[in-house]
């Protein structure tokens, strides 16, 4: 039995899911079954609107950093900071607004 290199395939578009799919940008069958009709495509306009809004700056007391967390943006396991309820690594975290 030969093993298949998972890097030859693309993963499910939903953050945190590691299932493979046939084409880039697809949702795996398991996520479709779990989430059903709650999944809907996001338009380019909606995507642009969410990236335009700056995040509130966190105070030192609110910053939570932990090792071996999966960054929701790059999906790599790194030392991440909790931002807006999700883990972000140092490479992906946006600078705080001035």
């Amino acid at each position: 039995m030969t093993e298949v290199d998972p890097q030859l395939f693309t993963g499910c578009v939903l953050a945190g899911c590691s299932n493979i799919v046939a084409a880039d940008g697809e949702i795996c069958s398991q996520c479709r079954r779990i989430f059903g009709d709650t999944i809907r495509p996001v338009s380019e306009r909606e995507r642009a609107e969410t990236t335009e809004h700056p995040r509130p700056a966190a105070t030192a007391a609110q910053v939570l950093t932990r090792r071996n967390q999966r960054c929701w943006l790059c999906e790599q396991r790194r030392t991440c900071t909790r931002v807006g309820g999700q883990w972000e690594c140092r490479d992906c975290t946006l600078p705080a607004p001035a």
Side-chain angles (χ1 to χ4, degrees):
M1 182 170 135
T2 58
E3 284 193 35
V4 177
D5 184 3
Q7 293 180 347
L8 297 176
F9 298 93
T10 185
C12 177
V13 72
L14 296 182
C17 180
S18 59
N19 294 333
I20 58 173
V21 292
D24 194 31
E26 288 187 355
I27 299 169
C28 72
S29 59
Q30 181 180 8
C31 287
R32 285 187 190 279
R33 187 173 57 253
I34 292 169
F35 298 109
D37 293 335
T38 61
I39 298 175
R40 67 174 183 77
V42 176
S43 70
E44 290 299 320
R45 180 175 173 235
E46 289 174 314
R47 187 172 293 133
E49 287 174 358
T50 59
T51 58
E52 289 174 3
H53 299 297
R55 297 185 185 129
T59 64
Q62 294 173 325
V63 175
L64 177 60
T65 302
R66 289 194 182 150
R67 293 175 49 182
N68 200 30
Q69 299 300 312
R70 186 182 302 266
C71 175
W72 75 278
L73 295 166
C74 67
E75 298 185 353
Q76 299 297 313
R77 287 208 172 267
R78 299 181 175 166
T79 298
C80 295
T81 303
R82 193 83 169 164
V83 178
Q86 296 178 325
W87 294 104
E88 288 185 13
C89 70
R90 184 178 315 152
D91 296 337
C92 295
T93 300
L94 297 174

